Amino acid sequence: MKVYGHPMSTYTRKVLTTLAEKGHEAQFVLVDLGKGEHKQPAHVARHPFGVVPAFEDDDGFMLYEASAIFRYLDRKLTGPSLTPADARAYARMEQYISVESSYFGPAAMKVIWERFFKPYMGGGAADEARVAEGLQGVEKVFGIVDPVLGKQQYLAGDSFSLAEVCWMPYMEFFIASGGGELVGKYKNVAGWWERVGARPSWKKVAGK
Ligand SMILES: N[C@@H](CCC(=O)N[C@@H](CS)C(=O)NCC(=O)O)C(=O)O
């Protein structure tokens, strides 16, 4: 298997976390976003929208879009299932995957981009109005999930699932962007992140 991506990419990290949770390895092929390699014909042949990640299975089967890739890997590979069998837990997992892609991820990314990636890429000072907008969005999400995580260990219920896989990259970068204080205000979110962020899969993916 091959994963074409970038180690700092949130979407690439979702795929790598899934592989690590399942106990599998893939060859990692760096697509250097800084050099614009994702827009070059070699990568566009793998991903027609010119973003990362893309995936290639051992028999040459190609796939793009992180959510398609991590669902495929979860279904296909041996190892613990990251998709609950119970219909309601499954629905909760999908609900929180959607909460990440619609509300949490976009809000967190405003903060992450302004405070982490923009300075890293020499893009100048953070736009604080955008940071404030992002923090407000994240606070709304935490206010909604905090009571849920007070009653259960994981987003979908009693077991770690693909919902966590989707939230982890944003949690890590959000905290690295100064969001730790806000996380600390939501005790159940903070406790959940302490458990989830300490998983060997995440330590491996985040290079800790
Ligand atoms: N819909 C894609 C989004 C992937 C995506 O936005 N990847 C980012 C890195 S995290 C990227 O390649 N950005 C480069 C660009 O937009 O030019 C997926 O789910 O895989």
Side-chain angles (χ1 to χ4, degrees), residues 6 8-12 14 33 38-39 47 49-53 64-67 69 109 170:
H6 192 285
M8 298 293 275
S9 142
T10 50
Y11 288 92
T12 301
K14 293 177 187 181
L33 301 180
H38 53 308
K39 304 297 182 199
H47 195 316
F49 296 94
V51 292
V52 293
Y64 60 85
E65 289 300 290
S67 61
I69 300 167
M109 265 322 278
Y170 298 96

Side-chain angles (χ1 to χ4, degrees), residues 8 10 31-32 38 43 115 120 132 136 143 153 165 176 178 188 207:
M8 298 293 275
T10 50
V31 179
D32 194 333
H38 53 308
H43 186 67
R115 287 194 176 160
Y120 178 77
Q136 201 178 17
Q153 293 272 298
V165 165
N188 301 316

Side-chain angles (χ1 to χ4, degrees), residues 16-18 20-21 160 168 196 198-206:
L16 296 177
T17 307
T18 304
E21 284 285 338
F160 180 94
M168 289 158 90
V196 163
R199 291 174 81 86
S201 64
W202 184 249
K203 288 189 169 169
K204 182 178 176 189
V205 171

Side-chain angles (χ1 to χ4, degrees), residues 120-188:
Y120 178 77
M121 293 166 76
D127 174 344
E128 287 303 328
R130 214 166 147 72
V131 169
E133 209 177 276
L135 289 171
Q136 201 178 17
V138 170
E139 183 143 30
K140 178 170 181 178
V141 172
F142 285 172
I144 290 165
V145 298
D146 196 67
V148 174
L149 291 168
K151 294 196 206 103
Q152 60 197 43
Q153 293 272 298
Y154 299 100
L155 291 164
D158 297 331
S159 58
F160 180 94
S161 76
L162 293 173
E164 270 77 27
V165 165
C166 288
W167 284 56
M168 289 158 90
Y170 298 96
M171 286 299 294
E172 179 79 28
F173 285 133
F174 180 69
I175 290 169
S177 308
E181 199 183 317
L182 183 61
V183 174
K185 282 209 236 163
Y186 293 87
K187 298 295 168 220
N188 301 316

